[in-house]
Amino acid sequence: MRTAAVLAMLALACLAGCSTDDQGARVELLNVSYDPTRELYREFNDAFAREWRERAGETVRIKQSHGGSGSQARAVIDGLAADVVTLALAYDINSIQERGKRLGAHWQSRFPYNSAPYTSTIVFLVRHGNPRGIRDWPDLVRPDVTVVTPNPKTSGGARWNYLAAWGYALHRGLDGDWSKLDDPAAEAQVAAAREAAARFVAEIYRHVPVLDSGARGSTNTFVQRGVGDVLITWENEALLAIESLGPNQVEIVVPSVSILAEPPVAVVDTVVDRKGTRQVAEAYLQHLYSPEGQRIAARHHFRPRDPEVLAEHRAKFPELELFTVGEVFGGWNRAHEEHFAENALFDRMLRASRRAGAR
């Protein structure tokens, strides 16, 4: 089964490949990425290929593979020969190191900003005119609201969605004061807030009729199939939907509190050392931090790290209160163990919801 999955992913990578010059290519990279970056890397790959030809006098061909971030990480662990990975969350790249031993333990310190060259956040996409009057997280648990979000077991975006909802409820239970998480005197309030957050997130999932495997699949379910009243999604996916469909079809609602989503990137050491592509792979990821790379990210609705480039696009990136995975959940490894591992909170929540539905 694993061999078949790897072969399928390799075939997908070939089908999704993109390059500026397929004839006489001297260097070939495979970038294994997650669902919502298709358009971003289509433009970025062409830009980098031009830059590399000018700098190194060498033609580079870049192929792409896209899917749910967790599924993509598993494909790399099982042998998919990615030169670089550009996934939705650090846990997925940590898994490639811990289970596959395919990159260095300190991969996150190799590039600026913990190897996350752009950011995003989690927002709501609603139908034109917002017929359900959705304004903030509590509206998602109203009896008349149906929610669309992907499956956290396979989708990195879904995990960001889940933690954003959890963080909102925790924030409310702590009276908006994150410092109480580290205050022994507030231990009872923190415990009560965590229990309330678990109930709140469980209630949201009782309003979700289908769990797609990836963020793009959920966008298609909401936009193309017309399922649901609200889509919980990446900000960049929501902006892309408006760009594609126009504001007379869908619109964005920005919640009062959300999460700082930091999708990371990494070179896969075992692959680039075997293929001899380390220099070009590292340059490829470094170019994401260049002014050109940052502007391409912004054009595709990711928040650039470069403050000057961000200022150029400030109108479409509203300021809101953001928390991080590290601040609220103790980092991705801890968040995974508590929420997304086998028989952790999400699994228990889903089983309880199904039992309640069966009754």
Side-chain angles (χ1 to χ4, degrees):
M1 290 297 290
R2 284 188 172 186
T3 301
V6 171
L7 290 173
M9 292 304 300
L10 284 168
L12 174 60
C14 292
L15 288 172
C18 47
S19 67
T20 57
D21 185 358
D22 286 352
Q23 299 299 317
R26 297 179 185 175
V27 182
E28 185 174 284
L29 297 180
L30 172 60
N31 176 3
V32 172
S33 196
Y34 64 109
D35 268 337
T37 61
R38 300 168 194 269
E39 295 79 13
L40 163 64
Y41 283 109
R42 188 176 298 131
E43 181 179 355
F44 178 78
N45 290 348
D46 287 344
F48 175 74
R50 288 192 299 270
E51 194 274 341
W52 186 252
R53 188 182 297 114
E54 293 171 3
R55 189 206 313 183
E58 194 171 45
T59 300
V60 59
R61 182 184 184 212
I62 303 126
K63 291 185 175 181
Q64 288 296 129
S65 173
H66 295 273
S69 187
S71 300
Q72 295 288 76
R74 283 191 292 275
V76 175
I77 292 166
D78 289 345
L80 181 59
D83 297 86
V84 299
V85 287
T86 56
L87 296 178
L89 45 94
Y91 177 80
D92 289 333
I93 301 182
N94 284 337
S95 295
I96 295 171
Q97 165 54 24
E98 292 169 4
R99 295 168 56 195
K101 305 299 181 187
R102 307 198 71 191
L103 57 149
H106 303 292
W107 66 267
Q108 209 163 4
S109 64
R110 293 183 182 178
F111 297 97
Y113 301 106
N114 289 321
S115 291
Y118 42 76
T119 70
S120 190
T121 188
I122 300 304
V123 300
F124 308 147
L125 193 68
V126 299
R127 310 291 176 192
H128 176 60
N130 193 5
R132 296 294 190 196
I134 293 165
R135 301 298 176 195
D136 208 348
W137 291 102
D139 294 316
L140 273 56
V141 298
R142 291 190 346 231
D144 62 332
V145 171
T146 301
V147 179
V148 176
T149 184
N151 189 341
K153 303 295 282 190
T154 55
S155 166
R159 295 189 182 196
W160 288 112
N161 295 352
Y162 173 106
L163 294 182
W166 189 285
Y168 164 79
L170 189 63
H171 185 263
R172 182 175 60 180
L174 298 176
D175 304 317
D177 185 359
W178 291 122
S179 69
K180 290 181 179 179
L181 288 172
D182 301 313
D183 182 0
E187 183 177 350
Q189 184 178 3
V190 170
R194 292 187 190 281
E195 291 177 5
R199 292 192 298 271
F200 177 75
V201 175
E203 184 61 30
I204 288 178
Y205 279 90
R206 280 192 279 273
H207 291 246
V208 179
V210 58
L211 289 170
D212 290 293
S213 63
R216 183 57 57 86
S218 282
T219 301
N220 292 338
T221 292
F222 182 77
V223 171
Q224 296 179 5
R225 295 173 54 199
V227 174
D229 302 301
V230 55
L231 171 71
I232 311 175
T233 188
W234 298 92
E235 179 182 54
N236 53 283
E237 275 287 278
L239 288 166
L240 178 63
I242 289 177
E243 180 180 85
S244 301
L245 299 172
N248 61 336
Q249 296 292 319
V250 289
E251 56 191 69
I252 292 175
V253 172
V254 179
S256 60
V257 176
S258 195
I259 197 165
L260 178 64
E262 299 176 287
V265 302
V267 172
V268 182
D269 290 338
T270 57
V271 173
V272 299
D273 288 342
R274 173 170 49 84
K275 291 175 58 180
T277 54
R278 177 176 291 278
Q279 183 183 15
V280 64
E282 290 179 347
Y284 176 77
L285 296 185
Q286 284 284 5
H287 197 61
L288 287 167
Y289 293 88
S290 70
E292 180 181 40
Q294 292 285 284
R295 288 190 172 93
I296 291 172
R299 280 199 293 274
H300 292 279
H301 316 304
F302 291 88
R303 295 185 177 218
R305 291 289 197 177
D306 187 315
E308 292 184 7
V309 178
L310 179 60
E312 294 170 7
H313 297 269
R314 175 50 71 189
K316 75 173 178 179
F317 297 126
E319 293 186 14
L320 70 160
E321 183 168 356
L322 298 172
F323 59 87
T324 70
V325 172
E327 290 168 341
V328 176
F329 299 96
W332 268 110
N333 283 354
R334 183 175 171 186
H336 173 80
E337 290 305 315
E338 291 184 359
H339 294 272
F340 308 118
E342 199 71 24
N343 294 318
L345 281 167
F346 177 74
D347 281 351
R348 298 199 301 271
M349 177 188 305
L350 207 59
R351 285 197 297 269
S353 177
R354 287 170 177 166
R355 284 197 298 270
R359 292 196 296 268

PDB file of all heavy atoms in Angstrom, residues 250-262:
ATOM      1  N   VAL A 250     -19.303  35.750  -2.902  1.00  0.00           N
ATOM      2  CA  VAL A 250     -18.871  35.415  -1.539  1.00  0.00           C
ATOM      3  C   VAL A 250     -18.179  36.628  -0.937  1.00  0.00           C
ATOM      4  O   VAL A 250     -17.736  37.541  -1.640  1.00  0.00           O
ATOM      5  CB  VAL A 250     -17.906  34.204  -1.518  1.00  0.00           C
ATOM      6  CG1 VAL A 250     -18.629  32.915  -1.852  1.00  0.00           C
ATOM      7  CG2 VAL A 250     -16.727  34.423  -2.462  1.00  0.00           C
ATOM      8  N   GLU A 251     -18.055  36.636   0.391  1.00  0.00           N
ATOM      9  CA  GLU A 251     -17.354  37.715   1.073  1.00  0.00           C
ATOM     10  C   GLU A 251     -16.688  37.194   2.334  1.00  0.00           C
ATOM     11  O   GLU A 251     -17.033  36.126   2.847  1.00  0.00           O
ATOM     12  CB  GLU A 251     -18.297  38.876   1.390  1.00  0.00           C
ATOM     13  CG  GLU A 251     -19.517  38.498   2.202  1.00  0.00           C
ATOM     14  CD  GLU A 251     -20.545  39.628   2.246  1.00  0.00           C
ATOM     15  OE1 GLU A 251     -21.161  39.919   1.190  1.00  0.00           O
ATOM     16  OE2 GLU A 251     -20.734  40.197   3.352  1.00  0.00           O
ATOM     17  N   ILE A 252     -15.723  37.949   2.820  1.00  0.00           N
ATOM     18  CA  ILE A 252     -14.931  37.547   3.977  1.00  0.00           C
ATOM     19  C   ILE A 252     -15.482  38.179   5.243  1.00  0.00           C
ATOM     20  O   ILE A 252     -15.849  39.351   5.252  1.00  0.00           O
ATOM     21  CB  ILE A 252     -13.457  37.956   3.790  1.00  0.00           C
ATOM     22  CG1 ILE A 252     -12.821  37.137   2.662  1.00  0.00           C
ATOM     23  CG2 ILE A 252     -12.660  37.754   5.083  1.00  0.00           C
ATOM     24  CD1 ILE A 252     -11.399  37.558   2.336  1.00  0.00           C
ATOM     25  N   VAL A 253     -15.512  37.387   6.305  1.00  0.00           N
ATOM     26  CA  VAL A 253     -15.773  37.899   7.646  1.00  0.00           C
ATOM     27  C   VAL A 253     -14.519  37.630   8.470  1.00  0.00           C
ATOM     28  O   VAL A 253     -14.047  36.489   8.539  1.00  0.00           O
ATOM     29  CB  VAL A 253     -16.994  37.206   8.288  1.00  0.00           C
ATOM     30  CG1 VAL A 253     -17.134  37.614   9.755  1.00  0.00           C
ATOM     31  CG2 VAL A 253     -18.261  37.529   7.510  1.00  0.00           C
ATOM     32  N   VAL A 254     -13.956  38.668   9.074  1.00  0.00           N
ATOM     33  CA  VAL A 254     -12.754  38.545   9.885  1.00  0.00           C
ATOM     34  C   VAL A 254     -13.170  38.431  11.344  1.00  0.00           C
ATOM     35  O   VAL A 254     -13.806  39.336  11.886  1.00  0.00           O
ATOM     36  CB  VAL A 254     -11.816  39.754   9.688  1.00  0.00           C
ATOM     37  CG1 VAL A 254     -10.576  39.631  10.570  1.00  0.00           C
ATOM     38  CG2 VAL A 254     -11.410  39.868   8.223  1.00  0.00           C
ATOM     39  N   PRO A 255     -12.855  37.329  12.011  1.00  0.00           N
ATOM     40  CA  PRO A 255     -13.272  37.175  13.414  1.00  0.00           C
ATOM     41  C   PRO A 255     -12.490  38.095  14.336  1.00  0.00           C
ATOM     42  O   PRO A 255     -11.462  38.673  13.947  1.00  0.00           O
ATOM     43  CB  PRO A 255     -12.961  35.705  13.700  1.00  0.00           C
ATOM     44  CG  PRO A 255     -11.847  35.362  12.775  1.00  0.00           C
ATOM     45  CD  PRO A 255     -12.092  36.173  11.527  1.00  0.00           C
ATOM     46  N   SER A 256     -12.964  38.227  15.569  1.00  0.00           N
ATOM     47  CA  SER A 256     -12.329  39.148  16.520  1.00  0.00           C
ATOM     48  C   SER A 256     -10.958  38.669  16.958  1.00  0.00           C
ATOM     49  O   SER A 256     -10.068  39.471  17.254  1.00  0.00           O
ATOM     50  CB  SER A 256     -13.231  39.327  17.750  1.00  0.00           C
ATOM     51  OG  SER A 256     -13.448  38.069  18.388  1.00  0.00           O
ATOM     52  N   VAL A 257     -10.774  37.354  17.027  1.00  0.00           N
ATOM     53  CA  VAL A 257      -9.511  36.745  17.453  1.00  0.00           C
ATOM     54  C   VAL A 257      -9.227  35.575  16.525  1.00  0.00           C
ATOM     55  O   VAL A 257     -10.132  34.805  16.194  1.00  0.00           O
ATOM     56  CB  VAL A 257      -9.590  36.239  18.913  1.00  0.00           C
ATOM     57  CG1 VAL A 257      -8.302  35.530  19.309  1.00  0.00           C
ATOM     58  CG2 VAL A 257      -9.878  37.377  19.869  1.00  0.00           C
ATOM     59  N   SER A 258      -7.976  35.448  16.097  1.00  0.00           N
ATOM     60  CA  SER A 258      -7.619  34.317  15.261  1.00  0.00           C
ATOM     61  C   SER A 258      -6.164  33.931  15.534  1.00  0.00           C
ATOM     62  O   SER A 258      -5.522  34.459  16.443  1.00  0.00           O
ATOM     63  CB  SER A 258      -7.848  34.623  13.777  1.00  0.00           C
ATOM     64  OG  SER A 258      -7.826  33.427  13.007  1.00  0.00           O
ATOM     65  N   ILE A 259      -5.662  33.035  14.729  1.00  0.00           N
ATOM     66  CA  ILE A 259      -4.337  32.461  14.958  1.00  0.00           C
ATOM     67  C   ILE A 259      -3.362  32.951  13.892  1.00  0.00           C
ATOM     68  O   ILE A 259      -3.756  33.198  12.749  1.00  0.00           O
ATOM     69  CB  ILE A 259      -4.433  30.918  14.950  1.00  0.00           C
ATOM     70  CG1 ILE A 259      -3.193  30.279  15.576  1.00  0.00           C
ATOM     71  CG2 ILE A 259      -4.687  30.380  13.554  1.00  0.00           C
ATOM     72  CD1 ILE A 259      -3.383  28.791  15.916  1.00  0.00           C
ATOM     73  N   LEU A 260      -2.108  33.111  14.273  1.00  0.00           N
ATOM     74  CA  LEU A 260      -1.062  33.443  13.312  1.00  0.00           C
ATOM     75  C   LEU A 260      -0.598  32.142  12.671  1.00  0.00           C
ATOM     76  O   LEU A 260       0.080  31.337  13.304  1.00  0.00           O
ATOM     77  CB  LEU A 260       0.104  34.155  13.995  1.00  0.00           C
ATOM     78  CG  LEU A 260       1.292  34.498  13.076  1.00  0.00           C
ATOM     79  CD1 LEU A 260       0.880  35.495  11.993  1.00  0.00           C
ATOM     80  CD2 LEU A 260       2.468  35.031  13.878  1.00  0.00           C
ATOM     81  N   ALA A 261      -0.981  31.932  11.427  1.00  0.00           N
ATOM     82  CA  ALA A 261      -0.600  30.713  10.709  1.00  0.00           C
ATOM     83  C   ALA A 261       0.743  30.939  10.038  1.00  0.00           C
ATOM     84  O   ALA A 261       0.902  31.887   9.268  1.00  0.00           O
ATOM     85  CB  ALA A 261      -1.671  30.360   9.677  1.00  0.00           C
ATOM     86  N   GLU A 262       1.700  30.054  10.317  1.00  0.00           N
ATOM     87  CA  GLU A 262       3.064  30.207   9.814  1.00  0.00           C
ATOM     88  C   GLU A 262       3.463  28.940   9.047  1.00  0.00           C
ATOM     89  O   GLU A 262       4.065  28.032   9.606  1.00  0.00           O
ATOM     90  CB  GLU A 262       4.021  30.458  10.976  1.00  0.00           C
ATOM     91  CG  GLU A 262       3.689  31.734  11.746  1.00  0.00           C
ATOM     92  CD  GLU A 262       4.579  31.940  12.957  1.00  0.00           C
ATOM     93  OE1 GLU A 262       4.390  31.208  13.952  1.00  0.00           O
ATOM     94  OE2 GLU A 262       5.467  32.815  12.901  1.00  0.00           O
TER      95      GLU A 262
END
